[in-house]
Amino acid sequence: MKKFITIILALGLLHTGASAQWYLYPGGRNEEKQEQTGAERQTQPQKQTRPERRQTRQEQAPEESVRVPLRQLPENRTETGGRDSWFAEPLFGRQTEVSVTLALPIGAGSEKPNANFLEMYSGALLALKDLGDEGVKVRLKLVDTASGAGLTREDVNGSDLIIGPVSYNEMLTALTLCDNGKVLVSPLDPKTAKLAETSGIIQAPASWTSQIDELMEWVQEDLRPEDQLIVVADPDSAGRGEQYRYLLDRLHGKVLDFRTVSSVSAINFIDGRTCRMLIASDSDSFLTGTARAAAIEAARNRDIILYSTSRIRSTIGSNVNDLHNTRTRLTAAYYIDYGSQKVKDFILSYRALFKGEPGSFAFQGYDTMHYFVKACHDYGRNWARRLPEFPEKGLQSDFRFNRRQGDGKLNVAVRRVVYNSDLTTSLVQD
């Protein structure tokens, strides 16, 4: 790690403390290493199998470009923005240059800088390198919020795009600096999705509500007339559990025929019929215990398929075989398909420049920076309103925004992942 940090600082990539509090969903592993959180490393690419039901979506071709080398990115850009430059940009059409402020709690001046956010910063720099190859000119300023400094009004007014800060409280403070239509991109914290409903926040990671929405679509697509649809509902979450209520409300909205039980032991399994199972609970222990009980029944030759959001990944720990035994269908904001050529290319580029392996934070930094800079470049000052017209598939996460009133926007793009009984995982392609 010391070697990794030294290399970054020696490259003159700006100064880059706080511990990460969010799980990123790396995916793409065939064994227990697949259960790592975003604070842990991804190492070896794995070959992925793909279900036959869905077809691969075609990738968008990059624009013709002139390369802007990474080394030309200044360590600290001078103030060239402000309101005059903001309104000097065309309301419609491409910007000739994008000014970006990235706010991360790296803690460069501390004895031990934060490895996760160093990775995220490194991934963001690789995104700028690739954008430079496409002809996109970018000026970058890094604000190290772990040093005690936060975003200033000068930062906000002088930027076309502000990514960060990463925490809910910092985002609240930064919002007070935003006017003239300026918005903030929240790159990690899922709690900031609530702010997007009433303020100029763009939530980059898809929320748990979007994961449940996608899960309901998936269940409806898979369900056959002869199947059993069972909801194992946590009695302690009834009436007060937010995710419990949302799942059942969405299920009722689909007008599906299902039965509710309080435990797996209460299910009347019928030979020859597939039991498609959902868990309604706000309790991690109930979620884990139910998955364990379902896996035990599956070992008794019960035909069970479990449906869940990625939350179960962080609760089940090392018992990943429970997901494989129940052939779990998972909706997730993050998943890395190590069979993808783009992912392989990113890993090779990261190794070559930083002499290490990219973790989930590196992928997140790349995806977030690449998507929003490209949107800002292509749509000019009006870029935030045009996001519904600009879906994109990233390395670890995808981006799709619905049209809605208000300044904020929520990413609703969710990936579908299948845990196969042969201990592999598959990314279901659109």
Side-chain angles (χ1 to χ4, degrees):
M1 179 58 64
K2 291 183 179 179
K3 181 179 179 181
F4 176 58
I5 295 171
T6 302
I7 290 171
I8 294 179
L9 298 179
L11 286 173
L13 301 180
L14 302 175
H15 291 298
T16 57
S19 60
Q21 302 176 19
W22 307 271
Y23 286 102
L24 294 180
Y25 180 49
R29 304 292 181 115
N30 292 338
E31 298 183 1
E32 290 187 4
K33 290 183 180 179
Q34 181 180 19
E35 297 307 306
Q36 294 176 331
T37 65
E40 299 172 337
R41 303 293 179 140
Q42 306 300 325
T43 54
Q44 299 296 327
Q46 298 288 341
K47 183 178 180 181
Q48 300 290 338
T49 58
R50 296 181 178 176
E52 298 179 356
R53 182 172 58 79
R54 306 174 99 195
Q55 296 180 349
T56 303
R57 185 193 304 168
Q58 294 181 348
E59 301 285 345
Q60 294 182 349
E63 303 290 339
E64 295 183 2
S65 61
V66 178
R67 179 173 181 175
V68 178
L70 180 63
R71 62 178 178 273
Q72 292 182 5
L73 291 174
E75 180 170 337
N76 285 291
R77 65 171 175 83
T78 58
E79 176 57 36
T80 58
R83 297 180 183 180
D84 292 340
S85 66
W86 176 255
F87 286 102
E89 293 291 353
L91 181 60
F92 302 103
R94 296 190 170 192
Q95 293 188 189
T96 56
E97 185 176 75
V98 180
S99 296
V100 181
T101 293
L102 176 63
L104 295 176
I106 295 174
S110 64
E111 183 178 345
K112 187 177 180 181
N114 187 284
N116 293 326
F117 292 112
L118 274 171
E119 275 194 0
M120 191 169 184
Y121 179 50
S122 301
L125 289 175
L126 277 178
L128 295 182
K129 176 181 179 297
D130 288 348
L131 287 165
D133 291 343
E134 298 176 29
V136 181
K137 296 181 180 180
V138 180
R139 288 189 294 169
L140 174 67
K141 178 177 182 179
L142 175 69
V143 177
D144 186 357
T145 57
S147 66
L151 286 174
T152 65
R153 189 172 296 276
E154 184 181 43
D155 294 328
V156 174
N157 289 339
S159 302
D160 303 310
L161 170 64
I162 306 104
I163 300 177
V166 300
S167 74
Y168 180 88
N169 290 334
E170 287 177 316
M171 192 66 72
L172 277 176
T173 301
L175 276 174
T176 63
L177 306 175
C178 295
D179 51 22
N180 297 324
K182 289 298 183 75
V183 297
L184 303 173
V185 175
S186 176
L188 284 175
D189 196 340
K191 291 188 297 183
T192 56
K194 295 181 179 180
L195 298 177
E197 299 174 2
T198 57
S199 60
I201 296 289
I202 298 176
Q203 179 69 13
S207 65
W208 62 265
T209 56
S210 295
Q211 292 184 43
I212 291 179
D213 291 342
E214 186 69 18
L215 200 65
M216 294 301 103
E217 295 291 335
W218 202 351
V219 169
Q220 189 173 38
E221 292 172 13
D222 288 354
L223 193 62
R224 301 169 300 182
E226 64 271 21
D227 294 340
Q228 293 178 283
L229 179 57
I230 304 294
V231 177
V232 183
D234 181 4
D236 292 334
S237 293
R240 60 182 178 84
E242 187 178 27
Q243 296 189 34
Y244 173 98
R245 293 196 307 271
Y246 191 83
L247 186 146
L248 288 178
D249 286 346
R250 295 294 290 116
L251 197 54
H252 283 294
K254 290 294 182 182
V255 196
L256 297 175
D257 184 18
F258 64 93
R259 181 188 172 200
T260 302
V261 297
S262 59
S263 66
V264 173
S265 61
I267 300 175
N268 181 26
F269 293 100
I270 301 174
D271 291 339
R273 297 180 64 178
T274 299
C275 176
R276 301 185 185 274
M277 186 184 302
L278 291 160
I279 305 173
S281 177
D282 284 60
S283 166
D284 289 347
S285 60
F286 186 88
L287 192 67
T288 303
T290 302
R292 176 91 278 264
I296 292 173
E297 290 295 333
R300 297 171 179 167
N301 294 322
R302 305 293 191 187
D303 189 4
I304 297 174
I305 297 179
L306 177 64
Y307 292 79
S308 179
T309 66
S310 61
R311 176 167 152 250
I312 200 171
R313 282 282 304 275
S314 61
T315 65
I316 205 166
S318 61
N319 298 322
V320 62
N321 284 346
D322 290 348
L323 302 182
H324 289 289
N325 292 336
T326 53
R327 296 176 291 163
T328 300
R329 271 58 176 160
L330 200 76
T331 53
Y334 312 107
Y335 180 86
I336 303 172
D337 178 9
Y338 284 94
S340 163
Q341 187 58 50
K342 286 189 173 183
V343 169
K344 294 177 182 178
D345 291 343
F346 172 79
I347 293 173
L348 291 176
S349 296
Y350 192 95
R351 288 172 179 169
L353 186 56
F354 301 113
K355 312 304 179 185
E357 295 297 323
S360 291
F361 277 77
F363 283 94
Q364 185 69 2
Y366 183 96
D367 286 344
T368 304
M369 183 65 75
H370 188 278
Y371 174 76
F372 287 103
V373 169
K374 191 69 163 61
C376 189
H377 172 263
D378 286 0
Y379 294 116
R381 183 161 56 87
N382 205 36
W383 68 269
R385 297 181 183 178
R386 303 284 296 276
L387 290 180
E389 305 170 30
F390 189 59
E392 182 174 273
K393 292 179 68 67
L395 301 176
Q396 175 176 262
S397 55
D398 302 327
F399 298 93
R400 189 177 75 252
F401 294 88
N402 292 336
R403 296 188 181 278
R404 53 170 297 184
Q405 295 179 345
D407 295 328
K409 284 184 171 54
L410 298 172
N411 183 14
V412 296
V414 175
R415 294 190 168 189
R416 296 184 180 186
V417 182
V418 176
Y419 280 74
N420 303 301
S421 56
D422 61 358
L423 303 183
T424 63
T425 55
S426 306
L427 175 63
V428 181
Q429 301 285 354
D430 293 332

